Amino acid sequence: MNRTNGGPDGRGATVGTGPAGGTGTAGGTGTAGSTGTTAGVNLLGLRSHNTALVLDLLRTAGAEGISRLELAERTGLTPQAVSKITARLRADGLAADAGRRASTGGKPRTVLRLVPEAGHAVGVHLDRDELRAVLVDLDGTVVGERNTPLDLGAGADAVLTRVAGVVEELWAERDEIPREAPAAPVASAAPGEPGEPGEPGGPGGPEARGDGAAVRGRRRLSLLGAGIALPGPLDHARGVLHRVTGFPEWDGFPLRDALSRRLGVPVVVDKDTNAAALGLAVGGEGGSFAYLHLGTGLGAGLVIGGSVHRGPRTGAGEFGHQVLQLDGPRCGCGDRGCIEALCLGAVARGDTDEAARVLGTGAANLVGLLDIDRVLLGGRIVEAAPEAFVRGVREVLEARARRTGDTPVPVRIASGGGQGGGRDGGEGGHRESGQRVAEGAAQSVLAPVFGRGDG
């Protein structure tokens, strides 16, 4: 069902509604500036493209804030529309006064800022052998994190129980942190759903136990949703997994809907490489780039013109399964000579230089096909020998540039940790890459709130 909201505040965006965890414009492909809402859920009450524009400007202004006049000038909205939007955001606890600023005549202007703690999102990286989860606020700042071993082949019930338990732990930990403002109405359950006072999962109900009750209950109103990132291939639009390389038993599993029912909040499912690429783009990595992730597998996240590119069937980025050697070793996908099999085989033999050369050959193919601005590298294997991989990939790209007469495309290690801001410390590259994916998964929930259509 579609609904169009109208009114003097510019609420004229048409949004789609559907099953919980489904998507209107969020979760599909789109252009930056379109407002996505998770279908079936009143995501922050944001039914307005203009509200998203204002929220994004409040976020980018930081603690110093921004005046209503500046908001009107930068959005093109009338001062009356801005006043109505900001009044609603203040009533919801999403915006607050940040002081006054001198004006050129007249009384000082009141400036407003975003209240980051008014809403949160969970990001989860489901790798083949570990689970990393983060809780972030509206600024994308990490306020909680968990890391635990995981066997992706343990079966759907075991994996979902583990995910729900970790999310509950994060949310319960956040409940103990004092907040500046009341929780905003950022999500709502249908009448009669778990989470009502006195019901299982409601206030005073059971603690975290892996069935989602604690998330649906205590302070559920300030949790926007959960982003889940894992190896592909998968259908991002429907949240359904395909034949995850090495784990064919997941083929056809509706992960988005299954987890949404457990947690009682909207869920977005995407490939780990796309989540990392989104996090990098939101964090300021501009233009067009490819993020190549070499860990337990090999994949690519593609950002074209500032937006994550998934393709019409959301299958873009299966970089690791381009065939480089027709009679090469068997790959976990069933084909032979895939770049993933060649890279991981070289790593297993201890030949990092060969792995880097193979990765560079694949990167050169991407550069030739997409004419991207830069290549970014990540993943636990790359980050265990960053200089060797950057050097090897760069040599292949420079050799290609000499043949074509083009300027060599730069290559470097992707910046770590995204909006979390250097929380990786000295614990090594493995943590850094996992953190990047988890934070990017959280951004897939936050992005539509601030007007990005590629979340």
Side-chain angles (χ1 to χ4, degrees):
M1 177 178 68
N2 288 333
R3 181 170 76 220
T4 302
N5 299 312
D9 62 345
R11 295 175 118 190
T14 301
V15 297
T17 57
T23 54
T25 54
T29 55
T31 56
S34 63
T35 309
T37 62
T38 302
V41 175
N42 185 13
L43 189 64
L44 283 176
L46 296 180
R47 301 297 188 183
S48 166
H49 169 67
N50 295 334
T51 303
L53 292 179
V54 170
L55 271 174
D56 188 48
L57 288 173
L58 288 172
R59 180 176 63 164
T60 55
E64 293 183 0
I66 185 171
S67 71
R68 292 176 181 83
L69 179 60
E70 290 172 299
L71 288 170
E73 290 173 346
R74 295 180 63 178
T75 60
L77 299 173
T78 65
Q80 294 85 353
V82 168
S83 292
K84 188 166 186 177
I85 291 171
T86 54
R88 186 171 62 250
L89 294 176
R90 291 181 66 185
D92 287 343
L94 292 165
D97 288 350
R100 293 181 177 274
R101 184 178 300 162
S103 64
T104 56
K107 62 181 182 180
R109 299 172 186 167
T110 299
V111 292
L112 300 173
R113 63 174 179 83
L114 183 71
V115 179
E117 59 271 27
H120 295 80
V122 170
V124 177
H125 180 203
L126 287 179
D127 208 345
R128 293 171 174 86
D129 59 0
E130 75 166 6
L131 182 160
R132 180 173 295 279
V134 297
L135 180 69
V136 306
D137 64 17
L138 292 178
D139 264 339
T141 299
V142 175
V143 296
E145 56 187 289
R146 287 289 188 280
N147 183 37
T148 181
L150 176 77
D151 178 7
L152 196 58
D157 187 65
V159 172
L160 266 61
T161 298
R162 179 67 63 86
V163 172
V166 168
V167 173
E168 288 173 353
E169 290 173 8
L170 282 172
W171 197 233
E173 180 182 86
R174 184 263 178 187
D175 268 346
E176 299 171 0
I177 302 174
R179 281 169 303 285
E180 176 180 334
V186 300
S188 59
E193 282 190 356
E196 298 298 326
E199 294 182 357
E207 296 301 312
R209 61 191 184 191
D211 61 1
V215 176
R216 292 191 300 267
R218 299 187 317 273
R219 304 190 190 278
R220 61 184 169 85
L221 291 183
S222 63
L223 182 62
L224 284 80
I228 311 296
L230 71 163
L234 54 81
D235 185 332
H236 167 68
R238 297 190 301 127
V240 175
L241 305 188
H242 294 324
R243 294 178 62 87
V244 178
T245 305
F247 300 91
E249 63 271 22
W250 284 99
D251 190 21
F253 185 79
L255 180 61
R256 181 193 68 194
D257 293 346
L259 264 179
S260 184
R261 285 192 296 269
R262 287 231 185 182
L263 297 175
V265 297
V267 171
V268 179
V269 173
D270 206 350
K271 290 195 290 190
D272 47 9
T273 50
N274 287 341
L278 174 64
L280 290 165
V282 170
E285 195 72 59
S288 300
F289 63 87
Y291 168 71
L292 307 184
H293 186 99
L294 180 59
T296 60
L298 173 62
L302 306 174
V303 172
I304 307 298
S307 297
V308 177
H309 176 74
R310 297 183 179 89
R313 291 171 296 280
T314 74
E318 286 299 310
F319 172 81
H321 300 292
Q322 54 177 305
V323 175
L324 294 187
Q325 185 179 340
L326 293 179
D327 58 349
R330 180 75 67 181
C331 179
C333 72
D335 211 336
R336 286 188 175 276
C338 293
I339 185 172
E340 177 177 299
L342 296 173
C343 269
L344 293 179
V347 170
R349 297 190 303 271
D351 193 345
T352 302
D353 289 342
E354 173 65 8
R357 187 181 69 83
V358 172
L359 186 61
T361 301
N365 289 343
L366 272 185
V367 169
L369 284 171
L370 300 177
D371 193 24
I372 52 180
D373 298 319
R374 74 196 71 87
V375 173
L376 306 178
L377 306 180
R380 66 177 74 171
I381 291 177
V382 166
E383 290 165 350
E387 293 180 359
F389 275 98
V390 169
R391 180 178 63 250
V393 173
R394 179 184 292 131
E395 288 174 355
V396 177
L397 293 179
E398 289 178 346
R400 178 188 180 277
R402 287 193 295 271
R403 293 193 303 271
T404 61
D406 296 330
T407 301
V409 171
V411 57
R412 58 176 169 81
I413 300 297
S415 57
Q419 299 276 355
R423 294 174 59 94
D424 298 321
E427 295 187 26
H430 180 190
R431 183 182 189 280
E432 181 176 329
S433 61
Q435 186 91 352
R436 181 185 304 116
V437 173
E439 290 184 35
Q443 287 295 338
S444 68
V445 176
L446 293 180
V449 176
F450 298 100
R452 284 190 70 103
D454 60 344

